Amino acid sequence: MYYGGIEAGGTKMVCAVADEELTIVEQLAIPTTTPEETIAQIIAFFDRYSLKAMGVGSFGPIGIDPAKENYGHILATPKEGWANVDFLGNLKQHYSVPFAWTTDVNAAAYGELKLGAAQGKKSCVYLTVGTGIGAGVVLDGKIFQGNAHPEMGHIRVKRHASDDYEGTCPYHGDCLEGLAAGPSLEHRTGTKGQELNQNHLIWDIQAYYIAQALVNYTLTLAPEKIILGGGVMNQDHLLQKVRRQFIDQMAGYMETPEIDDYIVRWALPNQSGIIGSLLLGKEAAR
Ligand code: ADP
Ligand code: ZN
């Protein structure tokens, strides 16, 4: 018997099957096309295994309240064809096993807490800076959610004095995601983030916004660790700038762990989400 995990993204669906020790025996990335086609491919993958339980960490927003009709659905996503799709319901029709269901970033935060950069801690914030910006929170060992799951990538930030960019968020324009996700780097400069020179002023602007988010998360949640993932954070110099900006902006107000130990890169590169999903699946089996 195996555990199934899905890290459901707007670009690809990472599907994995793991054994009792959570060692991954097979992993496959399926491109996210139409819901019908994509779900059919997911099912074709998992049908080859006998599953005990499944964990799904999905792009969102998603319905997370089991008492509501939209539980398990993808909600107001700009991803064409996916708004209001009953993703979990479709999977449940095929597999009558226990399911865990949360956001992709919550799953990643949980994976990093249990098996990655925040091992041994009870709380962490995981922030991904990639095509979008999203964050997941674990507090007291549990994924934090309330009326809905938090959407911490869409917070408001104070503008950098040399930045008049309108922002890319289809809902808010210049929220954090609008000003600092990967596509904003390219729209501002005409060059993809991975090809931009380290000395470009854009990195100071970028660090200014990401640090503001981390200051806000620290002030509101006081996590033991903040873990940064996503393509844009592959820039090591950016991590250093974010740490310096964080110290500047916090201005000594709140005590945090030593900065190099507090704001860190992911320990499970590109795997936090799928490992967290598998782990949640395993826990749902109990
Ligand atoms: P996704 O968020 O879609 O899962 P990624 O985390 O790889 O995927 O993020 C993709 C975004 O990150 C793109 O906008 C890309 O230009 C940017 N990006 C990828 N690698 C780097 C890098 N090394 N430096 C800066 N930006 C990068
Ligand atoms: Zn937004």
Side-chain angles (χ1 to χ4, degrees), residues 135-218:
V137 179
V138 182
L139 291 178
D140 206 13
K142 286 210 180 72
I143 289 174
F144 172 76
Q145 49 195 28
N147 178 54
H149 55 81
E151 281 286 355
M152 292 153 64
H154 292 265
I155 60 169
R156 302 276 147 185
V157 286
K158 187 154 96 184
R159 264 194 188 263
H160 189 281
S162 341
D163 187 24
D164 60 2
Y165 177 62
E166 71 274 19
T168 54
C169 177
Y171 292 90
H172 317 113
D174 62 355
C175 66
L176 175 67
E177 176 172 296
L179 291 174
S184 75
L185 290 168
E186 192 177 344
H187 291 166
R188 278 192 172 100
T189 62
T191 307
K192 280 192 195 313
Q194 48 270 55
E195 283 144 27
L196 271 169
N197 192 293
Q198 277 195 28
N199 301 320
H200 203 294
L201 169 69
I202 196 74
W203 296 117
D204 291 321
I205 295 176
Q206 187 73 5
Y208 181 74
Y209 293 136
I210 296 169
Q212 277 189 65
L214 305 190
V215 166
N216 288 338
Y217 304 157
T218 301

